[in-house]
Structures are given as C-alpha cells and as structure tokens.
Amino acid sequence: MMGCFERFFAGDSRDWVCSRASGDVLEVAVGTGLNLPGYPVGARLTGIEWSRQMLALARQRAARLGRRVHLLQADAQALPFPDASFDTVVCTFSLCAIPDERQALAEMARVLRPGGRLVLADHVVSTSGPVRLVQRVLELVTVPLGGEHFRRRPLEHLRAAGLTVEHTERFRLGIIERLVARKPR
C-alpha cells in the first residue's frame, strides 16, 4: 500500500529529503529503512523507531545495502540523545502517525546542533476543499484504528520549536509537503 501511495503521491520525496542530509544524521521513525539507500555516502546515520518489528526490517535492509547505521528503539516524543547531537534530523511520512507531533518536533529541534537542518516530507491537510473533506472522513476511521492523521501541518509548529523555515513546497493538491528548517546559530 505504501509503495502505491509513494508512486502516485510522494514522487521523489524520499530522495529529496535524504539528499539534503549531511554530517551526523538522525532519522526519526526510520520504519523499515526505506530511506537508507538515499543518504549521501558520508552521512553518519542514526535511526530510531518505536516498532521492534519495523526496526528488525530496517536492520536487514541496512545489512543488505552494506550501510552502517546505528538503529535503536525509541520514542520520537522523547528522544534519548543529548541536546545538540545532530547536524541533520530527517522525518518522512511519519509525523502523521506520532501521537503528539508538536512534542516530536520540539524534540527534533532540541537534538539539532545550532545551524543544523530539519528536513521533512509528509502528507498534510490539502489545499483543495473537496480533498480536505475526504481527509476528514478518512480520519474518522484511521485515527481511532491506527493513529493516522491526514490533516496535520508540521509547518505551523516549527517556529514554536525555535526553527526558521528556509524552504517549503507542496504538490499533489497540496497533500504532500516537503520542507527544510534550520536551527539558529
């Protein structure tokens, strides 16, 4: 199902996000490791995931790719790292399922080094009225069953997390948003 979603809606968003990562990189909600092939060779990767099963699949993918990555089970809302630990924090198509996305964004900002970048891609509330209505109806099922939100907008919370938005773009009826934000020096 995710493959179909990505082909039609997300386009090259994973590669777009990963190509902007450098230095010490934290991927929040690494899932099964779908982003691992897209990171630059010099990036030093750490990935967190709350699901043990998904983390096991990410470890297998990293091994198949010959990619060194430190993977650990952790909660995006309480990252187990000291302040200012990473040059780049990445999160793709996962904030929509984190119970408190504001807390997760605050944690991502906390672990960024001054001058570091937060790079996100996710599905968000659409710019189209009819699509927003469909998203609202879908959430009547997806939120109670799996915590999947379609109408969030992380951009609104980045300034509160102390970050400056440098780039944002939306496409596919405004359903997909990609952005880069920076922590002030």
PDB file of all heavy atoms in Angstrom, residues 16 87 89 105-106 108-110 112-120 154-168 178-185:
ATOM      1  N   TRP A  16      14.624  13.410  -2.223  1.00  0.00           N
ATOM      2  CA  TRP A  16      14.717  14.856  -1.985  1.00  0.00           C
ATOM      3  C   TRP A  16      15.162  15.122  -0.555  1.00  0.00           C
ATOM      4  O   TRP A  16      16.061  15.915  -0.312  1.00  0.00           O
ATOM      5  CB  TRP A  16      13.357  15.503  -2.261  1.00  0.00           C
ATOM      6  CG  TRP A  16      13.331  16.997  -2.169  1.00  0.00           C
ATOM      7  CD1 TRP A  16      13.524  17.874  -3.186  1.00  0.00           C
ATOM      8  CD2 TRP A  16      13.079  17.782  -1.001  1.00  0.00           C
ATOM      9  NE1 TRP A  16      13.417  19.169  -2.710  1.00  0.00           N
ATOM     10  CE2 TRP A  16      13.134  19.129  -1.377  1.00  0.00           C
ATOM     11  CE3 TRP A  16      12.803  17.467   0.335  1.00  0.00           C
ATOM     12  CZ2 TRP A  16      12.941  20.178  -0.478  1.00  0.00           C
ATOM     13  CZ3 TRP A  16      12.608  18.502   1.234  1.00  0.00           C
ATOM     14  CH2 TRP A  16      12.676  19.839   0.826  1.00  0.00           C
ATOM     15  N   ASP A  87      23.642  17.071  13.146  1.00  0.00           N
ATOM     16  CA  ASP A  87      23.698  18.136  12.143  1.00  0.00           C
ATOM     17  C   ASP A  87      22.410  18.206  11.334  1.00  0.00           C
ATOM     18  O   ASP A  87      22.003  19.275  10.886  1.00  0.00           O
ATOM     19  CB  ASP A  87      24.871  17.899  11.176  1.00  0.00           C
ATOM     20  CG  ASP A  87      26.196  17.867  11.903  1.00  0.00           C
ATOM     21  OD1 ASP A  87      26.506  18.850  12.585  1.00  0.00           O
ATOM     22  OD2 ASP A  87      26.897  16.840  11.803  1.00  0.00           O
ATOM     23  N   VAL A  89      18.338  16.368  11.067  1.00  0.00           N
ATOM     24  CA  VAL A  89      17.288  15.452  11.518  1.00  0.00           C
ATOM     25  C   VAL A  89      16.301  15.325  10.364  1.00  0.00           C
ATOM     26  O   VAL A  89      15.908  16.317   9.758  1.00  0.00           O
ATOM     27  CB  VAL A  89      16.582  15.944  12.794  1.00  0.00           C
ATOM     28  CG1 VAL A  89      15.429  15.014  13.165  1.00  0.00           C
ATOM     29  CG2 VAL A  89      17.566  16.059  13.958  1.00  0.00           C
ATOM     30  N   LEU A 105       8.356  17.338  17.182  1.00  0.00           N
ATOM     31  CA  LEU A 105       9.096  18.420  16.511  1.00  0.00           C
ATOM     32  C   LEU A 105       9.974  19.174  17.503  1.00  0.00           C
ATOM     33  O   LEU A 105      11.110  19.547  17.175  1.00  0.00           O
ATOM     34  CB  LEU A 105       8.132  19.373  15.808  1.00  0.00           C
ATOM     35  CG  LEU A 105       7.485  18.816  14.551  1.00  0.00           C
ATOM     36  CD1 LEU A 105       6.299  19.676  14.122  1.00  0.00           C
ATOM     37  CD2 LEU A 105       8.498  18.688  13.421  1.00  0.00           C
ATOM     38  N   ALA A 106       9.475  19.400  18.713  1.00  0.00           N
ATOM     39  CA  ALA A 106      10.284  20.065  19.743  1.00  0.00           C
ATOM     40  C   ALA A 106      11.514  19.219  20.080  1.00  0.00           C
ATOM     41  O   ALA A 106      12.617  19.754  20.254  1.00  0.00           O
ATOM     42  CB  ALA A 106       9.439  20.323  20.988  1.00  0.00           C
ATOM     43  N   MET A 108      12.961  17.033  18.024  1.00  0.00           N
ATOM     44  CA  MET A 108      13.860  17.097  16.866  1.00  0.00           C
ATOM     45  C   MET A 108      14.675  18.387  16.901  1.00  0.00           C
ATOM     46  O   MET A 108      15.883  18.374  16.640  1.00  0.00           O
ATOM     47  CB  MET A 108      13.055  16.997  15.571  1.00  0.00           C
ATOM     48  CG  MET A 108      12.433  15.639  15.340  1.00  0.00           C
ATOM     49  SD  MET A 108      11.461  15.629  13.799  1.00  0.00           S
ATOM     50  CE  MET A 108      10.189  14.455  14.199  1.00  0.00           C
ATOM     51  N   ALA A 109      14.035  19.489  17.232  1.00  0.00           N
ATOM     52  CA  ALA A 109      14.746  20.775  17.336  1.00  0.00           C
ATOM     53  C   ALA A 109      15.772  20.733  18.465  1.00  0.00           C
ATOM     54  O   ALA A 109      16.885  21.241  18.321  1.00  0.00           O
ATOM     55  CB  ALA A 109      13.748  21.907  17.554  1.00  0.00           C
ATOM     56  N   ARG A 110      15.416  20.114  19.566  1.00  0.00           N
ATOM     57  CA  ARG A 110      16.324  20.036  20.720  1.00  0.00           C
ATOM     58  C   ARG A 110      17.622  19.315  20.373  1.00  0.00           C
ATOM     59  O   ARG A 110      18.705  19.742  20.763  1.00  0.00           O
ATOM     60  CB  ARG A 110      15.616  19.319  21.889  1.00  0.00           C
ATOM     61  CG  ARG A 110      16.483  19.190  23.147  1.00  0.00           C
ATOM     62  CD  ARG A 110      15.790  18.368  24.213  1.00  0.00           C
ATOM     63  NE  ARG A 110      15.601  16.971  23.858  1.00  0.00           N
ATOM     64  CZ  ARG A 110      16.557  16.033  23.870  1.00  0.00           C
ATOM     65  NH1 ARG A 110      17.800  16.335  24.188  1.00  0.00           N
ATOM     66  NH2 ARG A 110      16.271  14.776  23.543  1.00  0.00           N
ATOM     67  N   LEU A 112      19.004  18.964  17.460  1.00  0.00           N
ATOM     68  CA  LEU A 112      19.758  19.600  16.368  1.00  0.00           C
ATOM     69  C   LEU A 112      20.844  20.505  16.931  1.00  0.00           C
ATOM     70  O   LEU A 112      20.625  21.225  17.909  1.00  0.00           O
ATOM     71  CB  LEU A 112      18.835  20.464  15.505  1.00  0.00           C
ATOM     72  CG  LEU A 112      18.198  19.835  14.293  1.00  0.00           C
ATOM     73  CD1 LEU A 112      17.254  20.834  13.634  1.00  0.00           C
ATOM     74  CD2 LEU A 112      19.221  19.341  13.306  1.00  0.00           C
ATOM     75  N   ARG A 113      21.989  20.489  16.290  1.00  0.00           N
ATOM     76  CA  ARG A 113      23.051  21.427  16.632  1.00  0.00           C
ATOM     77  C   ARG A 113      22.680  22.814  16.112  1.00  0.00           C
ATOM     78  O   ARG A 113      21.940  22.924  15.126  1.00  0.00           O
ATOM     79  CB  ARG A 113      24.366  20.980  16.007  1.00  0.00           C
ATOM     80  CG  ARG A 113      24.892  19.701  16.607  1.00  0.00           C
ATOM     81  CD  ARG A 113      26.233  19.295  16.039  1.00  0.00           C
ATOM     82  NE  ARG A 113      26.665  18.096  16.733  1.00  0.00           N
ATOM     83  CZ  ARG A 113      27.043  16.970  16.138  1.00  0.00           C
ATOM     84  NH1 ARG A 113      27.078  16.884  14.819  1.00  0.00           N
ATOM     85  NH2 ARG A 113      27.406  15.928  16.857  1.00  0.00           N
ATOM     86  N   PRO A 114      23.203  23.877  16.723  1.00  0.00           N
ATOM     87  CA  PRO A 114      22.973  25.211  16.164  1.00  0.00           C
ATOM     88  C   PRO A 114      23.430  25.246  14.702  1.00  0.00           C
ATOM     89  O   PRO A 114      24.507  24.754  14.364  1.00  0.00           O
ATOM     90  CB  PRO A 114      23.828  26.121  17.047  1.00  0.00           C
ATOM     91  CG  PRO A 114      23.888  25.390  18.365  1.00  0.00           C
ATOM     92  CD  PRO A 114      23.941  23.929  17.986  1.00  0.00           C
ATOM     93  N   GLY A 115      22.586  25.761  13.832  1.00  0.00           N
ATOM     94  CA  GLY A 115      22.861  25.778  12.398  1.00  0.00           C
ATOM     95  C   GLY A 115      22.418  24.508  11.692  1.00  0.00           C
ATOM     96  O   GLY A 115      22.472  24.427  10.469  1.00  0.00           O
ATOM     97  N   GLY A 116      21.937  23.505  12.442  1.00  0.00           N
ATOM     98  CA  GLY A 116      21.514  22.232  11.865  1.00  0.00           C
ATOM     99  C   GLY A 116      20.180  22.344  11.145  1.00  0.00           C
ATOM    100  O   GLY A 116      19.417  23.289  11.357  1.00  0.00           O
ATOM    101  N   ARG A 117      19.928  21.335  10.292  1.00  0.00           N
ATOM    102  CA  ARG A 117      18.714  21.337   9.468  1.00  0.00           C
ATOM    103  C   ARG A 117      17.760  20.211   9.845  1.00  0.00           C
ATOM    104  O   ARG A 117      18.193  19.081  10.065  1.00  0.00           O
ATOM    105  CB  ARG A 117      19.068  21.175   7.992  1.00  0.00           C
ATOM    106  CG  ARG A 117      19.676  22.392   7.381  1.00  0.00           C
ATOM    107  CD  ARG A 117      19.895  22.190   5.926  1.00  0.00           C
ATOM    108  NE  ARG A 117      20.864  21.100   5.771  1.00  0.00           N
ATOM    109  CZ  ARG A 117      21.389  20.734   4.626  1.00  0.00           C
ATOM    110  NH1 ARG A 117      21.028  21.324   3.516  1.00  0.00           N
ATOM    111  NH2 ARG A 117      22.263  19.756   4.569  1.00  0.00           N
ATOM    112  N   LEU A 118      16.479  20.553   9.842  1.00  0.00           N
ATOM    113  CA  LEU A 118      15.404  19.584   9.957  1.00  0.00           C
ATOM    114  C   LEU A 118      14.785  19.479   8.572  1.00  0.00           C
ATOM    115  O   LEU A 118      14.393  20.496   7.994  1.00  0.00           O
ATOM    116  CB  LEU A 118      14.358  20.050  10.965  1.00  0.00           C
ATOM    117  CG  LEU A 118      13.092  19.201  11.087  1.00  0.00           C
ATOM    118  CD1 LEU A 118      13.422  17.781  11.547  1.00  0.00           C
ATOM    119  CD2 LEU A 118      12.117  19.850  12.041  1.00  0.00           C
ATOM    120  N   VAL A 119      14.726  18.265   8.031  1.00  0.00           N
ATOM    121  CA  VAL A 119      14.196  18.053   6.687  1.00  0.00           C
ATOM    122  C   VAL A 119      13.015  17.081   6.792  1.00  0.00           C
ATOM    123  O   VAL A 119      13.176  15.968   7.299  1.00  0.00           O
ATOM    124  CB  VAL A 119      15.276  17.502   5.728  1.00  0.00           C
ATOM    125  CG1 VAL A 119      14.758  17.498   4.298  1.00  0.00           C
ATOM    126  CG2 VAL A 119      16.574  18.299   5.829  1.00  0.00           C
ATOM    127  N   LEU A 120      11.850  17.534   6.317  1.00  0.00           N
ATOM    128  CA  LEU A 120      10.621  16.757   6.459  1.00  0.00           C
ATOM    129  C   LEU A 120       9.920  16.571   5.125  1.00  0.00           C
ATOM    130  O   LEU A 120       9.983  17.444   4.259  1.00  0.00           O
ATOM    131  CB  LEU A 120       9.629  17.484   7.374  1.00  0.00           C
ATOM    132  CG  LEU A 120      10.036  17.825   8.790  1.00  0.00           C
ATOM    133  CD1 LEU A 120       8.947  18.656   9.459  1.00  0.00           C
ATOM    134  CD2 LEU A 120      10.301  16.562   9.584  1.00  0.00           C
ATOM    135  N   PRO A 154       2.854  20.192   9.912  1.00  0.00           N
ATOM    136  CA  PRO A 154       4.033  20.433  10.753  1.00  0.00           C
ATOM    137  C   PRO A 154       4.595  21.851  10.630  1.00  0.00           C
ATOM    138  O   PRO A 154       5.106  22.393  11.606  1.00  0.00           O
ATOM    139  CB  PRO A 154       5.056  19.404  10.252  1.00  0.00           C
ATOM    140  CG  PRO A 154       4.258  18.362   9.569  1.00  0.00           C
ATOM    141  CD  PRO A 154       3.017  19.025   9.059  1.00  0.00           C
ATOM    142  N   LEU A 155       4.471  22.439   9.454  1.00  0.00           N
ATOM    143  CA  LEU A 155       4.994  23.787   9.225  1.00  0.00           C
ATOM    144  C   LEU A 155       4.513  24.753  10.295  1.00  0.00           C
ATOM    145  O   LEU A 155       5.259  25.620  10.752  1.00  0.00           O
ATOM    146  CB  LEU A 155       4.559  24.267   7.833  1.00  0.00           C
ATOM    147  CG  LEU A 155       4.968  25.679   7.434  1.00  0.00           C
ATOM    148  CD1 LEU A 155       6.479  25.762   7.287  1.00  0.00           C
ATOM    149  CD2 LEU A 155       4.289  26.071   6.139  1.00  0.00           C
ATOM    150  N   GLU A 156       3.279  24.606  10.731  1.00  0.00           N
ATOM    151  CA  GLU A 156       2.700  25.516  11.716  1.00  0.00           C
ATOM    152  C   GLU A 156       3.411  25.458  13.068  1.00  0.00           C
ATOM    153  O   GLU A 156       3.320  26.393  13.845  1.00  0.00           O
ATOM    154  CB  GLU A 156       1.218  25.189  11.913  1.00  0.00           C
ATOM    155  CG  GLU A 156       0.379  25.385  10.673  1.00  0.00           C
ATOM    156  CD  GLU A 156      -1.034  24.859  10.813  1.00  0.00           C
ATOM    157  OE1 GLU A 156      -1.362  24.242  11.850  1.00  0.00           O
ATOM    158  OE2 GLU A 156      -1.816  25.074   9.872  1.00  0.00           O
ATOM    159  N   HIS A 157       4.102  24.377  13.363  1.00  0.00           N
ATOM    160  CA  HIS A 157       4.704  24.191  14.679  1.00  0.00           C
ATOM    161  C   HIS A 157       6.219  24.413  14.703  1.00  0.00           C
ATOM    162  O   HIS A 157       6.817  24.373  15.768  1.00  0.00           O
ATOM    163  CB  HIS A 157       4.390  22.788  15.190  1.00  0.00           C
ATOM    164  CG  HIS A 157       2.938  22.456  15.123  1.00  0.00           C
ATOM    165  ND1 HIS A 157       1.962  23.169  15.797  1.00  0.00           N
ATOM    166  CD2 HIS A 157       2.280  21.513  14.427  1.00  0.00           C
ATOM    167  CE1 HIS A 157       0.784  22.665  15.522  1.00  0.00           C
ATOM    168  NE2 HIS A 157       0.939  21.655  14.692  1.00  0.00           N
ATOM    169  N   LEU A 158       6.821  24.638  13.560  1.00  0.00           N
ATOM    170  CA  LEU A 158       8.281  24.740  13.519  1.00  0.00           C
ATOM    171  C   LEU A 158       8.801  25.990  14.214  1.00  0.00           C
ATOM    172  O   LEU A 158       9.822  25.942  14.904  1.00  0.00           O
ATOM    173  CB  LEU A 158       8.773  24.690  12.075  1.00  0.00           C
ATOM    174  CG  LEU A 158       8.555  23.332  11.403  1.00  0.00           C
ATOM    175  CD1 LEU A 158       8.995  23.382   9.954  1.00  0.00           C
ATOM    176  CD2 LEU A 158       9.284  22.231  12.144  1.00  0.00           C
ATOM    177  N   ARG A 159       8.137  27.108  14.026  1.00  0.00           N
ATOM    178  CA  ARG A 159       8.584  28.344  14.694  1.00  0.00           C
ATOM    179  C   ARG A 159       8.496  28.194  16.210  1.00  0.00           C
ATOM    180  O   ARG A 159       9.386  28.643  16.935  1.00  0.00           O
ATOM    181  CB  ARG A 159       7.790  29.540  14.187  1.00  0.00           C
ATOM    182  CG  ARG A 159       8.203  29.924  12.782  1.00  0.00           C
ATOM    183  CD  ARG A 159       7.405  31.091  12.226  1.00  0.00           C
ATOM    184  NE  ARG A 159       7.678  31.265  10.803  1.00  0.00           N
ATOM    185  CZ  ARG A 159       7.057  30.613   9.831  1.00  0.00           C
ATOM    186  NH1 ARG A 159       6.120  29.740  10.117  1.00  0.00           N
ATOM    187  NH2 ARG A 159       7.365  30.816   8.568  1.00  0.00           N
ATOM    188  N   ALA A 160       7.435  27.545  16.694  1.00  0.00           N
ATOM    189  CA  ALA A 160       7.294  27.310  18.135  1.00  0.00           C
ATOM    190  C   ALA A 160       8.419  26.419  18.650  1.00  0.00           C
ATOM    191  O   ALA A 160       8.799  26.511  19.814  1.00  0.00           O
ATOM    192  CB  ALA A 160       5.945  26.683  18.440  1.00  0.00           C
ATOM    193  N   ALA A 161       8.959  25.575  17.775  1.00  0.00           N
ATOM    194  CA  ALA A 161      10.077  24.703  18.150  1.00  0.00           C
ATOM    195  C   ALA A 161      11.419  25.432  18.030  1.00  0.00           C
ATOM    196  O   ALA A 161      12.466  24.831  18.266  1.00  0.00           O
ATOM    197  CB  ALA A 161      10.072  23.448  17.275  1.00  0.00           C
ATOM    198  N   GLY A 162      11.392  26.714  17.638  1.00  0.00           N
ATOM    199  CA  GLY A 162      12.616  27.509  17.566  1.00  0.00           C
ATOM    200  C   GLY A 162      13.351  27.416  16.250  1.00  0.00           C
ATOM    201  O   GLY A 162      14.519  27.787  16.158  1.00  0.00           O
ATOM    202  N   LEU A 163      12.702  26.937  15.195  1.00  0.00           N
ATOM    203  CA  LEU A 163      13.348  26.761  13.899  1.00  0.00           C
ATOM    204  C   LEU A 163      12.901  27.827  12.902  1.00  0.00           C
ATOM    205  O   LEU A 163      11.807  28.379  13.012  1.00  0.00           O
ATOM    206  CB  LEU A 163      13.032  25.373  13.345  1.00  0.00           C
ATOM    207  CG  LEU A 163      13.436  24.198  14.228  1.00  0.00           C
ATOM    208  CD1 LEU A 163      12.958  22.897  13.639  1.00  0.00           C
ATOM    209  CD2 LEU A 163      14.932  24.167  14.449  1.00  0.00           C
ATOM    210  N   THR A 164      13.753  28.082  11.912  1.00  0.00           N
ATOM    211  CA  THR A 164      13.453  29.011  10.837  1.00  0.00           C
ATOM    212  C   THR A 164      13.232  28.208   9.559  1.00  0.00           C
ATOM    213  O   THR A 164      14.095  27.432   9.155  1.00  0.00           O
ATOM    214  CB  THR A 164      14.636  29.986  10.620  1.00  0.00           C
ATOM    215  OG1 THR A 164      14.883  30.664  11.845  1.00  0.00           O
ATOM    216  CG2 THR A 164      14.328  30.987   9.526  1.00  0.00           C
ATOM    217  N   VAL A 165      12.082  28.383   8.932  1.00  0.00           N
ATOM    218  CA  VAL A 165      11.770  27.660   7.702  1.00  0.00           C
ATOM    219  C   VAL A 165      12.529  28.311   6.548  1.00  0.00           C
ATOM    220  O   VAL A 165      12.390  29.501   6.304  1.00  0.00           O
ATOM    221  CB  VAL A 165      10.260  27.656   7.424  1.00  0.00           C
ATOM    222  CG1 VAL A 165       9.965  26.970   6.094  1.00  0.00           C
ATOM    223  CG2 VAL A 165       9.519  26.972   8.560  1.00  0.00           C
ATOM    224  N   GLU A 166      13.333  27.516   5.856  1.00  0.00           N
ATOM    225  CA  GLU A 166      14.116  28.008   4.717  1.00  0.00           C
ATOM    226  C   GLU A 166      13.489  27.649   3.374  1.00  0.00           C
ATOM    227  O   GLU A 166      13.698  28.347   2.400  1.00  0.00           O
ATOM    228  CB  GLU A 166      15.535  27.432   4.762  1.00  0.00           C
ATOM    229  CG  GLU A 166      16.347  27.927   5.917  1.00  0.00           C
ATOM    230  CD  GLU A 166      17.781  27.444   5.866  1.00  0.00           C
ATOM    231  OE1 GLU A 166      18.064  26.399   5.245  1.00  0.00           O
ATOM    232  OE2 GLU A 166      18.629  28.114   6.471  1.00  0.00           O
ATOM    233  N   HIS A 167      12.778  26.544   3.339  1.00  0.00           N
ATOM    234  CA  HIS A 167      12.196  26.093   2.072  1.00  0.00           C
ATOM    235  C   HIS A 167      10.953  25.269   2.370  1.00  0.00           C
ATOM    236  O   HIS A 167      10.945  24.447   3.284  1.00  0.00           O
ATOM    237  CB  HIS A 167      13.212  25.228   1.306  1.00  0.00           C
ATOM    238  CG  HIS A 167      12.655  24.664   0.040  1.00  0.00           C
ATOM    239  ND1 HIS A 167      12.618  25.366  -1.125  1.00  0.00           N
ATOM    240  CD2 HIS A 167      12.078  23.456  -0.227  1.00  0.00           C
ATOM    241  CE1 HIS A 167      12.061  24.622  -2.074  1.00  0.00           C
ATOM    242  NE2 HIS A 167      11.727  23.454  -1.548  1.00  0.00           N
ATOM    243  N   THR A 168       9.921  25.495   1.576  1.00  0.00           N
ATOM    244  CA  THR A 168       8.726  24.664   1.668  1.00  0.00           C
ATOM    245  C   THR A 168       8.099  24.563   0.288  1.00  0.00           C
ATOM    246  O   THR A 168       8.141  25.517  -0.489  1.00  0.00           O
ATOM    247  CB  THR A 168       7.704  25.203   2.701  1.00  0.00           C
ATOM    248  OG1 THR A 168       6.590  24.308   2.769  1.00  0.00           O
ATOM    249  CG2 THR A 168       7.238  26.592   2.365  1.00  0.00           C
ATOM    250  N   ARG A 178       6.990  19.212   1.535  1.00  0.00           N
ATOM    251  CA  ARG A 178       8.396  18.978   1.836  1.00  0.00           C
ATOM    252  C   ARG A 178       8.956  20.299   2.344  1.00  0.00           C
ATOM    253  O   ARG A 178       8.624  21.358   1.817  1.00  0.00           O
ATOM    254  CB  ARG A 178       9.157  18.547   0.589  1.00  0.00           C
ATOM    255  CG  ARG A 178       8.530  17.352  -0.078  1.00  0.00           C
ATOM    256  CD  ARG A 178       9.326  16.741  -1.182  1.00  0.00           C
ATOM    257  NE  ARG A 178       9.592  17.558  -2.333  1.00  0.00           N
ATOM    258  CZ  ARG A 178       9.947  17.077  -3.515  1.00  0.00           C
ATOM    259  NH1 ARG A 178      10.062  15.757  -3.690  1.00  0.00           N
ATOM    260  NH2 ARG A 178      10.189  17.852  -4.543  1.00  0.00           N
ATOM    261  N   LEU A 179       9.808  20.219   3.356  1.00  0.00           N
ATOM    262  CA  LEU A 179      10.361  21.459   3.882  1.00  0.00           C
ATOM    263  C   LEU A 179      11.722  21.251   4.513  1.00  0.00           C
ATOM    264  O   LEU A 179      12.084  20.145   4.899  1.00  0.00           O
ATOM    265  CB  LEU A 179       9.378  22.120   4.851  1.00  0.00           C
ATOM    266  CG  LEU A 179       8.978  21.361   6.109  1.00  0.00           C
ATOM    267  CD1 LEU A 179       9.963  21.603   7.238  1.00  0.00           C
ATOM    268  CD2 LEU A 179       7.601  21.813   6.534  1.00  0.00           C
ATOM    269  N   VAL A 180      12.432  22.362   4.596  1.00  0.00           N
ATOM    270  CA  VAL A 180      13.717  22.420   5.288  1.00  0.00           C
ATOM    271  C   VAL A 180      13.630  23.568   6.279  1.00  0.00           C
ATOM    272  O   VAL A 180      13.234  24.680   5.919  1.00  0.00           O
ATOM    273  CB  VAL A 180      14.887  22.673   4.305  1.00  0.00           C
ATOM    274  CG1 VAL A 180      16.205  22.774   5.055  1.00  0.00           C
ATOM    275  CG2 VAL A 180      14.949  21.571   3.241  1.00  0.00           C
ATOM    276  N   ALA A 181      13.989  23.299   7.527  1.00  0.00           N
ATOM    277  CA  ALA A 181      14.032  24.327   8.553  1.00  0.00           C
ATOM    278  C   ALA A 181      15.404  24.256   9.224  1.00  0.00           C
ATOM    279  O   ALA A 181      16.041  23.199   9.255  1.00  0.00           O
ATOM    280  CB  ALA A 181      12.931  24.109   9.575  1.00  0.00           C
ATOM    281  N   ARG A 182      15.854  25.389   9.734  1.00  0.00           N
ATOM    282  CA  ARG A 182      17.196  25.454  10.329  1.00  0.00           C
ATOM    283  C   ARG A 182      17.099  25.967  11.769  1.00  0.00           C
ATOM    284  O   ARG A 182      16.300  26.849  12.070  1.00  0.00           O
ATOM    285  CB  ARG A 182      18.101  26.364   9.517  1.00  0.00           C
ATOM    286  CG  ARG A 182      19.562  26.284   9.959  1.00  0.00           C
ATOM    287  CD  ARG A 182      20.494  27.022   9.025  1.00  0.00           C
ATOM    288  NE  ARG A 182      20.529  26.493   7.680  1.00  0.00           N
ATOM    289  CZ  ARG A 182      21.308  25.506   7.262  1.00  0.00           C
ATOM    290  NH1 ARG A 182      22.117  24.914   8.121  1.00  0.00           N
ATOM    291  NH2 ARG A 182      21.295  25.123   6.009  1.00  0.00           N
ATOM    292  N   LYS A 183      17.953  25.400  12.622  1.00  0.00           N
ATOM    293  CA  LYS A 183      18.054  25.875  13.990  1.00  0.00           C
ATOM    294  C   LYS A 183      19.032  27.055  14.002  1.00  0.00           C
ATOM    295  O   LYS A 183      20.132  26.949  13.455  1.00  0.00           O
ATOM    296  CB  LYS A 183      18.570  24.752  14.892  1.00  0.00           C
ATOM    297  CG  LYS A 183      18.577  25.107  16.365  1.00  0.00           C
ATOM    298  CD  LYS A 183      18.910  23.888  17.179  1.00  0.00           C
ATOM    299  CE  LYS A 183      18.777  24.159  18.648  1.00  0.00           C
ATOM    300  NZ  LYS A 183      18.999  22.908  19.422  1.00  0.00           N
ATOM    301  N   PRO A 184      18.636  28.168  14.585  1.00  0.00           N
ATOM    302  CA  PRO A 184      19.546  29.337  14.604  1.00  0.00           C
ATOM    303  C   PRO A 184      20.867  29.010  15.288  1.00  0.00           C
ATOM    304  O   PRO A 184      20.934  28.187  16.195  1.00  0.00           O
ATOM    305  CB  PRO A 184      18.761  30.384  15.387  1.00  0.00           C
ATOM    306  CG  PRO A 184      17.346  29.939  15.319  1.00  0.00           C
ATOM    307  CD  PRO A 184      17.368  28.445  15.231  1.00  0.00           C
ATOM    308  N   ARG A 185      21.907  29.704  14.858  1.00  0.00           N
ATOM    309  CA  ARG A 185      23.250  29.532  15.467  1.00  0.00           C
ATOM    310  C   ARG A 185      23.331  30.255  16.787  1.00  0.00           C
ATOM    311  O   ARG A 185      22.719  31.190  17.052  1.00  0.00           O
ATOM    312  CB  ARG A 185      24.327  30.057  14.516  1.00  0.00           C
ATOM    313  CG  ARG A 185      24.442  29.183  13.306  1.00  0.00           C
ATOM    314  CD  ARG A 185      25.685  29.537  12.504  1.00  0.00           C
ATOM    315  NE  ARG A 185      25.741  28.720  11.312  1.00  0.00           N
ATOM    316  CZ  ARG A 185      26.339  27.532  11.258  1.00  0.00           C
ATOM    317  NH1 ARG A 185      26.930  27.034  12.297  1.00  0.00           N
ATOM    318  NH2 ARG A 185      26.345  26.853  10.138  1.00  0.00           N
TER     319      ARG A 185
END
